[in-house]
Amino acid sequence: MNASCLTIKELTDAVGGGLTPRMVRHYHQLGLLPQPVRSRSNYRLYTKKDVLRLQRIVALKQQGFQLNHIRQILEVEPEADTTVNLMGQLQQQYRAVMQQISQLRQTASALEGLLGRDRHCQIIQAEVLAQLKLLDVETQAGLGGLENLWSGLDAEIHTHSEAFTESLQRLLPDLSHRSEIEQHLISQLVLASGDVSLVSFIKLSRDAIAASREALSSSCQIVVDTQTVAAALDQTRLLHLGCHIETLIDNPHITTATEAELAFWQHREWREKLLQVSKGCVLVVGYAPSVLLEACEAMSNQKIQPALVIAMPIGFSHAPAAKRQLMQQGIPFITVEGTLGGGALAATALNALVESLIDKPDCHCYLKDVEPL
């Protein structure tokens, strides 16, 4: 046996990432990994080249690529025409994936329509479930019966207000391993987005909750990227805590992610303003990925030191990259992975943290003394 070669067990140990010998054999069958040479005892022998290829496969898989996508990516040659062909194939596969997501979303909506009902709808819900078993969907009459079932179920919504807490208890995954504040934060983000699947993308550093409570209790500065985010913040509670809100892009006409991103690049004074935020502030980014990228660079160079970063910018390339950079900074953070985000979610996250510190005051009349944002 060649001393430089690895057995399949040594290969999986070298690559890591949860790789198993069974998965390696599966990759051989799919053509993702070439068949290795064999020893005289018929053992598979692997080289450093195999280790490198498997590491790439594992890395791409962890990023969400399917195995058929990975095979095409690894096989592409550097020539321009081949790259163009690959991009076209990936675009087709992307559309197919989005169609699958759409179909799954319809299924999820149907299940949410049943599982998300509160106790006031339980009687009619039980009737619907019983009739669904007997429904003949192969006939036009059967399809009409299905519509009548939903109409009967929907009729109950006019008799009472929606009980969000009850619905979430049935729909959310098990969050018992999280703190009460984290559970509340996640629930509020789900309600703000209307998407239970968001739970899988919400990421908090271990020290995020403790850091937020210490900063907010110390009347820290709240720095937001746009006035749209500032307007959605719970000014009542923040005022009671003594937290001042500072807006980086302080132009009231800038209300969208596209406008915020372009404006931040074009106006140097707003980038310089970011470098002047106070130590221990809470930075809230809801729209412009460039604000987060600039903040990450400033944090890396120790030019700013926020106590917490709530990062939920919108975007399809810069935003995911900016969020990944943030999670490597060592600064407490709350973010939503990938392209998901928005000002409403960013503001909701901060409001949930503030709500855990102070009850809502009964009177808002003193807000007339607050300066306009």
Side-chain angles (χ1 to χ4, degrees):
M1 182 182 295
N2 192 326
S4 64
C5 291
L6 304 175
T7 65
I8 192 168
K9 180 63 170 61
E10 292 171 336
L11 174 71
T12 56
D13 290 342
V15 173
L19 191 68
T20 65
R22 183 177 179 180
M23 294 168 64
V24 173
R25 289 191 287 270
H26 182 56
Y27 294 160
H28 284 312
Q29 294 174 351
L30 295 177
L32 268 171
L33 191 66
Q35 290 293 338
V37 297
R38 297 271 184 166
S39 69
R40 292 181 179 179
S41 302
N42 203 33
Y43 287 106
R44 292 181 174 90
L45 299 179
Y46 297 92
T47 65
K48 291 182 179 179
K49 185 177 180 181
D50 294 318
V51 173
L52 180 59
R53 186 175 180 89
L54 269 174
Q55 287 174 335
R56 290 171 177 168
I57 292 172
V58 170
L60 289 169
K61 189 178 179 182
Q62 290 175 343
Q63 290 300 312
F65 287 97
Q66 295 181 3
L67 294 179
N68 59 331
H69 302 165
I70 295 173
R71 182 174 58 250
Q72 293 177 347
I73 291 171
L74 293 180
E75 290 176 356
V76 69
E77 298 295 334
E79 287 80 7
D81 57 342
T82 307
T83 302
V84 170
N85 291 336
L86 173 63
M87 293 302 295
Q89 293 172 4
L90 291 177
Q91 190 173 42
Q92 291 179 354
Q93 292 169 359
Y94 171 76
R95 291 173 181 149
V97 169
M98 293 306 296
Q99 185 176 6
Q100 293 172 2
I101 291 175
S102 177
Q103 293 171 346
L104 289 172
R105 181 65 261 177
Q106 290 178 341
T107 301
S109 295
L111 292 171
E112 288 165 354
L114 292 173
L115 298 174
R117 302 284 170 163
D118 53 43
R119 64 182 181 276
H120 296 287
C121 298
Q122 291 301 299
I123 297 177
I124 188 75
Q125 181 188 54
E127 294 177 359
V128 169
L129 288 172
Q131 293 180 53
L132 280 175
K133 297 178 181 179
L134 306 175
L135 191 64
D136 181 7
V137 296
E138 295 182 358
T139 66
Q140 190 63 37
L143 292 176
L146 181 59
E147 293 178 0
N148 291 335
L149 289 178
W150 284 115
S151 297
L153 189 57
D154 290 343
E156 287 297 309
I157 66 175
H158 298 286
T159 64
H160 60 281
S161 60
E162 182 161 352
F164 292 111
T165 302
E166 288 186 37
S167 298
L168 287 175
Q169 287 176 346
R170 293 186 178 88
L171 298 174
L172 287 175
D174 181 19
L175 300 176
S176 60
H177 61 289
R178 293 182 178 269
S179 69
E180 184 177 341
I181 296 176
E182 286 183 78
Q183 292 181 36
H184 176 66
L185 169 65
I186 292 171
S187 298
Q188 293 304 107
L189 289 173
V190 168
L191 285 175
S193 65
D195 186 357
V196 179
S197 68
L198 187 72
V199 175
S200 301
F201 300 95
I202 299 172
K203 303 298 177 184
L204 293 80
S205 62
R206 291 185 178 180
D207 50 354
I209 300 300
S212 70
R213 295 177 70 81
E214 181 178 354
L216 292 168
S217 299
S218 302
S219 303
C220 68
Q221 181 188 42
I222 308 295
V223 182
V224 300
D225 56 344
T226 69
Q227 292 195 5
T228 304
V229 176
L233 295 180
D234 190 339
Q235 298 177 54
T236 307
R237 287 190 174 96
L238 288 172
L239 185 63
H240 269 276
L241 290 170
C243 296
H244 172 70
I245 302 172
E246 183 73 31
T247 305
L248 289 175
I249 307 174
D250 54 356
N251 183 337
H253 301 292
I254 296 174
T255 57
T256 67
T258 302
E259 293 170 342
E261 179 73 355
L262 186 62
F264 189 75
W265 272 106
Q266 291 180 337
H267 295 82
R268 184 177 181 84
E269 65 268 23
W270 288 331
R271 298 200 297 275
E272 293 177 348
K273 189 176 181 180
L274 175 62
L275 299 178
Q276 297 170 3
V277 300
S278 61
K279 181 179 179 180
C281 70
V282 173
L283 176 61
V284 184
V285 183
Y287 285 100
S290 289
V291 172
L292 183 56
L293 286 170
E294 193 83 4
C296 286
E297 183 177 354
M299 286 186 286
S300 296
N301 296 327
Q302 298 183 339
K303 293 182 178 179
I304 64 172
Q305 191 175 350
L308 173 72
V309 180
I310 298 175
M312 301 183 186
I314 301 171
F316 300 98
S317 59
H318 289 53
K323 294 169 184 177
R324 286 192 293 269
Q325 289 188 24
L326 170 65
M327 290 187 280
Q328 299 172 358
Q329 293 298 319
I331 297 290
F333 67 83
I334 300 173
T335 189
V336 176
E337 280 187 316
T339 63
L340 301 173
L345 287 179
T348 296
L350 180 62
N351 290 343
L353 296 172
V354 173
E355 184 181 351
S356 70
L357 281 172
I358 182 172
D359 291 333
K360 192 82 166 183
D362 295 327
C363 180
H364 297 193
C365 59
Y366 57 82
L367 287 177
K368 66 180 183 293
D369 299 325
V370 179
E371 296 181 1
L373 298 173

